[in-house]
Amino acid sequence: MAGILAGNDVEQEYLWACTLIGSDKEYCWAPEDPTPEAKEDKDEENDGNVKPGRRLLIKSAILMPSAKKDEVTIVQIESEGYNKQTVIVPICAMKGGTDYQQYVDLLVPTKAKLKLLQGEGPINLIGSHCIDYSGYRDVEAVESEDEDEATDDNDDEMEVAEDVKGEGDKKTPTKESKDEKVEKTTTAKEDSGSKKRKASSEQTKSAEKKKKESPAKAK
């Protein structure tokens, strides 16, 4: 069963009951978070984690017909009140053979001990174990958001690294093309110089040939 609290928070309610009798006159209510994570962190109480809020709502008391006739059965509660003061007070008194059911409607927000102060019972207390997950779920949501942000940051870093790597790969061929241009320019210059030397050599040979032919014409 779920109840609506202030701020649209939802509180889950679970059936709760206990029996007090002459051979077992005390009952302690000290709930703990049953999740595996809480059990692992049981010794780490100051780790800053928010745990679900828990409350006990005692609704009714039932005195069984087997209770002694005219015997008054009194149930007492011991718990912590305002400003951490210990509160010890009876919560119901029922007479055997006369009272069979009594409306209690007591909300217990913290650990408590229920005790059969007088009588032998048996008497049953019935109510609801209320669990408020609102703060606990808010913390989980914040942690989940932090994890998502961390994942996004890692993805962004990986993308930046890939972009930088891609730019480096693009720049390398450019450098190679410049080197190729330098080699081509050097080769072209060497070829031009070789052609000039060849032309000069040919001109020298032609001049020498003309000189040799000139004396022959003179004769």
Side-chain angles (χ1 to χ4, degrees):
M1 182 178 178
I4 305 299
L5 302 178
N8 293 326
D9 292 332
V10 178
E11 183 180 70
Q12 296 291 334
E13 293 186 12
Y14 301 92
L15 181 63
W16 170 89
C18 79
T19 300
L20 300 176
I21 195 169
S23 59
D24 189 8
K25 292 187 175 185
E26 290 187 1
Y27 173 85
C28 291
W29 188 73
E32 294 182 357
D33 190 357
T35 59
E37 293 81 1
K39 290 181 180 179
E40 292 177 1
D41 298 336
K42 188 175 181 181
D43 296 332
E44 301 179 3
E45 296 181 355
N46 298 322
D47 59 356
N49 291 333
V50 178
K51 295 182 179 180
R54 297 174 180 273
R55 303 186 297 173
L56 176 63
L57 177 58
I58 305 174
K59 296 181 179 179
S60 300
I62 307 293
L63 184 62
M64 301 303 291
S66 57
K68 293 179 181 179
K69 188 177 180 180
D70 297 332
E71 181 182 68
V72 178
T73 300
I74 299 176
V75 178
Q76 172 184 281
I77 187 171
E78 179 180 346
S79 187
E80 185 179 280
Y82 176 71
N83 202 21
K84 295 185 178 181
Q85 292 183 352
T86 302
V87 177
I88 302 174
V89 62
I91 60 173
C92 72
M94 304 176 72
K95 186 176 181 180
T98 303
D99 302 320
Y100 295 102
Q101 181 175 0
Q102 183 174 330
Y103 186 59
V104 179
D105 193 27
L106 176 66
L107 182 63
V108 184
T110 185
K111 296 178 181 180
K113 181 170 69 173
L114 298 167
K115 182 179 180 181
L116 198 57
L117 184 62
Q118 180 179 311
E120 298 293 324
I123 184 171
N124 296 318
L125 300 176
I126 304 168
S128 297
H129 182 165
C130 308
I131 304 177
D132 178 16
Y133 289 102
S134 58
Y136 184 71
R137 287 173 179 166
D138 290 343
V139 170
E140 285 185 339
V142 171
E143 291 177 352
S144 178
E145 289 177 0
D146 293 341
E147 290 177 359
D148 292 341
E149 290 178 359
T151 303
D152 293 339
D153 292 341
N154 292 335
D155 292 340
D156 293 340
E157 291 177 359
M158 291 177 66
E159 289 178 1
V160 171
E162 289 177 356
D163 293 340
V164 172
K165 184 178 179 181
E167 291 177 0
D169 294 340
K170 291 179 182 178
K171 290 180 180 178
T172 302
T174 304
K175 291 182 179 179
E176 291 179 355
S177 62
K178 287 183 179 179
D179 295 339
E180 289 176 359
K181 287 182 180 179
V182 172
E183 288 183 9
K184 288 180 181 179
T185 304
T186 304
T187 304
K189 288 181 179 179
E190 291 178 354
D191 291 342
S192 177
S194 177
K195 288 180 180 179
K196 288 180 180 180
R197 286 194 298 272
K198 186 176 180 180
S200 177
S201 177
E202 289 178 354
Q203 290 177 0
T204 302
K205 288 180 180 180
S206 177
E208 290 177 354
K209 186 176 180 180
K210 287 180 179 180
K211 286 181 180 181
K212 289 181 180 180
E213 291 177 352
S214 296
K217 290 181 178 180
K219 289 179 182 182

